[in-house]
Amino acid sequence: AYITIELYSSTGELVATVVDNVFRASGPHDTDTWDGLNDRDLAVAPGTYICLITANFNSGRQESSRRKVTVVR
């Protein structure tokens, strides 16, 4: 599947794109990390963010999952 991982603020604003439409074979993956910076390379404020993981399959099917991520400094 082609994977996109995005982080959003509690107000729904896109903060950072960690992975943008990159192919990943099926199975567990733990190589994609977020450095706590926004898309302008500035450190984000402490707080809770929403991580949206979207998988787009060749069949046209799409699956999404949301997780909370907390930044503590």
Side-chain angles (χ1 to χ4, degrees):
Y2 289 86
I3 305 299
T4 299
I5 302 174
E6 300 168 311
L7 286 116
Y8 290 86
S9 69
S10 59
T11 61
E13 178 184 357
L14 178 63
V15 173
T17 302
V18 177
V19 175
D20 190 12
N21 203 38
V22 175
F23 181 78
R24 296 283 191 261
S26 62
H29 296 278
D30 60 1
T31 57
D32 300 313
T33 59
W34 179 43
D35 56 9
L37 303 178
N38 64 21
D39 282 339
R40 294 179 294 164
D41 289 329
L42 300 173
V44 300
T48 301
Y49 295 84
I50 304 299
C51 178
L52 176 62
I53 304 166
T54 304
N56 291 296
F57 298 91
N58 289 333
S59 66
R61 190 179 89 217
Q62 183 181 72
E63 292 183 19
S64 294
S65 177
R66 291 182 179 91
R67 299 286 185 261
K68 290 182 182 179
V69 176
T70 302
V71 174
V72 179
R73 298 200 191 276

